[in-house]
Amino acid sequence: GITSNRRLVPDVSMYASWGIPLVCSVFHPATGAGPCPPTSASWPFMSVAGTSFAAPLLAGGLALVNQRAVQAGQPTVGFVNPLLYSAGAPAINDVTTGDNDVFDTGRCCFAGPGYDQATGLGTVNAARLAQVAVRAGARG
């Protein structure tokens, strides 16, 4: 479904909605505090969303893909885009509903089957992407 000879944005999407509670574990050795202090001792969580959540989530997944490749005697992924665009199902879950129309203008950008401007190729399944990377045995 990609009709352009240029790279489009986004390549993939990751779950990044508000309300995901994560344990706040950042620690500064000099002060004993972190930049994300828990709201209370009994609730050591902080909600994160957007790129601040999605980018490290994808980076962590790709680190696991690289780890699996090395364990299998294959090179690490490197530039991941060629692998993402060739992997397809089952390594990419196509997102077909929803949008990222932040201001509700009704003009941009809506999810649909295949590549779209809202979710790119879809969401990455890191375990399955690792299987594809090991089978491909190629650096991106």
Side-chain angles (χ1 to χ4, degrees), residues 25-35:
S25 61
V26 176
F27 177 76
H28 188 281
T31 64

Side-chain angles (χ1 to χ4, degrees), residues 10-113:
D11 290 308
V12 295
S13 60
M14 299 297 287
Y15 185 81
S17 181
W18 279 108
I20 301 169
L22 296 176
V23 173
C24 181
S25 61
V26 176
F27 177 76
H28 188 281
T31 64
C36 59
T39 54
S40 73
S42 63
W43 184 252
F45 300 97
M46 177 180 187
S47 289
V48 295
T51 304
S52 298
F53 178 76
L57 180 64
L58 181 58
L62 292 176
L64 294 173
V65 169
N66 280 334
Q67 181 181 36
R68 179 65 191 104
V70 169
Q71 288 171 342
Q74 300 294 340
T76 57
V77 172
F79 180 58
V80 73
N81 283 32
L83 182 63
L84 290 174
Y85 280 86
S86 67
I92 307 290
N93 300 312
D94 191 11
V95 178
T96 59
T97 61
D99 65 68
N100 61 359
D101 188 3
V102 177
F103 298 109
D104 294 322
T105 64
R107 295 187 303 232
C108 182
C109 292
F110 302 92

